[in-house]
Amino acid sequence: MEWTTTIITMLCAIAIVGIICFSFQIYQIIKIDAKARGLKHPNFLGIFAMSSNNGGGLILYLIGRRKYPIINMSQNDKVEITKRKKILGVALIFLSVSMIGIVICIAKFI
């Protein structure tokens, strides 16, 4: 029983790292996109987009940005967004694997 709690604790720590990394990458992508579209306060928009639990802030950002075309996105910004998308995928893998492990450990624990 003790090893199961240790494993669940480690998997929870991995899940928390995945969640933090995922949120930070979403924030950075939104910030780069908002700057490229010429929106005011891109830092606030990034925080607002990642703030809600059900993704409402991100949906509102995506709806609101439709009126603003991309004005100046450099090649470096495109490369940065591509890099952050890949990191976002790794964060989702961390999160998925840890959650699957937690469910398996809890199922065996009960």
Side-chain angles (χ1 to χ4, degrees):
M1 197 182 309
E2 185 176 310
W3 64 271
T4 308
T5 348
T6 306
I7 291 175
I8 289 175
T9 305
M10 289 181 356
L11 290 171
C12 285
I14 293 171
I16 290 171
V17 168
I19 290 168
I20 291 170
C21 184
F22 181 82
S23 297
F24 182 72
Q25 298 308 323
I26 290 289
Y27 166 75
Q28 290 293 328
I29 290 172
I30 296 294
K31 190 171 85 169
I32 292 170
D33 184 64
K35 282 181 183 176
R37 292 176 186 273
L39 296 172
K40 294 180 183 177
H41 311 293
N43 290 332
F44 172 73
L45 290 172
I47 291 172
F48 179 70
M50 68 174 210
S51 64
S52 66
N53 285 340
N54 57 1
L58 180 61
I59 292 171
L60 286 175
Y61 172 75
L62 292 174
I63 290 172
R65 78 176 191 160
R66 287 189 294 172
K67 298 181 228 173
Y68 300 94
I70 295 177
I71 298 171
N72 55 352
M73 182 176 280
S74 66
Q75 190 63 29
N76 290 337
D77 287 342
K78 290 179 184 178
V79 169
E80 184 73 20
I81 286 178
T82 304
K83 182 180 92 171
R84 294 204 179 271
K85 284 180 185 177
K86 290 178 184 175
I87 295 171
L88 203 127
V90 171
L92 281 175
I93 290 171
F94 268 77
L95 189 58
S96 301
V97 168
S98 62
M99 286 299 154
I100 290 170
I102 289 170
V103 168
I104 290 172
C105 284
I106 289 176
K108 289 194 180 251
F109 186 66
I110 293 176

